[in-house]
């Protein structure tokens, strides 16, 4: 059992109170379908680098007990591949085909080609539409895409805006 002080209990209660107020406001927002779609699309655009490469379909809410989660289909403009986007309003979580934003797997970061280009740099990545991974932020003005290639070197693609 962890003992916490009175000020910590009060802080925790305050956080719970704020969370409940936010949940109430988010539920009101969800009832306005068009506004909800716009807000969720803006959230995805702000947190997922591939969002500008395609179109997000209509957002739908999951049934209880997962009713804090929404899902939509994303279609990539280039190759028409699709993936499922999921957003949890209260946690601010974004999943792309069930995968959270994170880091590259060791099968890529431990490869000599990755080491030659990036050294020991740890890149913050996101799942890419159609598989693989994409950097969350620009690195020296470029976005990098990674894909594991069984039995060979990982695919690393550099792309710059306007190219």
């Amino acid at each position: 059992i962890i003992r916490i002080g009175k000020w910590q209990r009060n802080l925790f209660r305050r956080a719970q109170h704020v969370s409940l107020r936010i949940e109430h406001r988010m539920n009101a927002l969800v009832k306005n379908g068009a506004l909800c779609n716009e807000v969720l699309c803006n959230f995805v655009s702000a947190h997922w680098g591939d969002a500008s490469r395609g179109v997000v379909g209509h957002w739908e809410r999951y049934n209880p007990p997962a009713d804090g989660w929404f899902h939509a289909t994303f279609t990539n403009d280039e190759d028409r591949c699709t993936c499922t986007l999921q957003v949890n309003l209260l946690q601010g979580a974004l999943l792309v085909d069930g995968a959270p934003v994170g880091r590259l797997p060791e099968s890529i970061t431990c490869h000599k080609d990755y080491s030659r280009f990036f050294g020991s740099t740890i890149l913050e990545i996101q799942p890419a539409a159609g598989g693989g991974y994409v950097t969350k932020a620009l690195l020296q003005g470029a976005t990098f895409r990674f894909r594991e290639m069984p039995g060979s070197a990982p695919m690393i693609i550099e792309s710059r805006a306007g190219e």
Side-chain angles (χ1 to χ4, degrees):
I1 296 175
I2 299 173
R3 294 179 188 248
I4 59 174
K6 184 177 181 178
W7 70 272
Q8 290 170 316
R9 262 192 313 275
N10 289 338
L11 183 62
F12 180 71
R13 286 183 186 135
R14 177 72 178 145
Q16 283 181 315
H17 178 71
V18 170
S19 293
L20 291 172
R21 286 182 33 213
I22 290 171
E23 182 179 24
H24 177 72
R25 289 184 180 165
M26 292 304 288
N27 285 331
L29 172 69
V30 167
K31 290 179 183 173
N32 181 346
L35 184 58
C36 178
N37 271 334
E38 181 182 346
V39 168
L40 290 172
C41 286
N42 288 343
F43 175 81
V44 168
S45 294
H47 293 89
W48 187 46
D50 264 6
S52 63
R53 300 172 62 100
V55 178
V56 177
H58 181 74
W59 288 93
E60 296 180 26
R61 188 179 211 163
Y62 282 111
N63 294 324
D67 57 346
W69 284 91
F70 289 79
H71 63 98
T73 300
F74 175 82
T75 304
N76 186 321
D77 288 337
E78 294 173 4
D79 53 15
R80 307 306 297 164
C81 67
T82 62
C83 63
T84 301
L85 302 178
Q86 297 168 297
V87 172
N88 183 302
L89 292 179
L90 290 179
Q91 296 173 352
L94 169 63
L95 304 177
V96 179
D97 277 341
V101 174
R103 295 192 174 149
L104 290 167
E106 285 186 9
S107 61
I108 294 177
T109 59
C110 291
H111 195 275
K112 62 181 174 136
D113 290 344
Y114 179 91
S115 297
R116 189 175 71 218
F117 293 122
F118 303 104
S120 60
T121 302
I122 298 173
L123 302 174
E124 193 172 1
I125 59 94
Q126 302 170 336
Y133 307 91
V134 62
T135 52
K136 184 175 180 182
L138 295 177
L139 180 65
Q140 297 180 352
T143 299
F144 291 88
R145 298 180 169 283
F146 304 88
R147 185 180 296 265
E148 294 176 284
M149 306 301 288
S152 66
M155 185 181 342
I156 302 173
I157 302 169
E158 176 183 356
S159 60
R160 296 184 180 274
E163 291 183 1

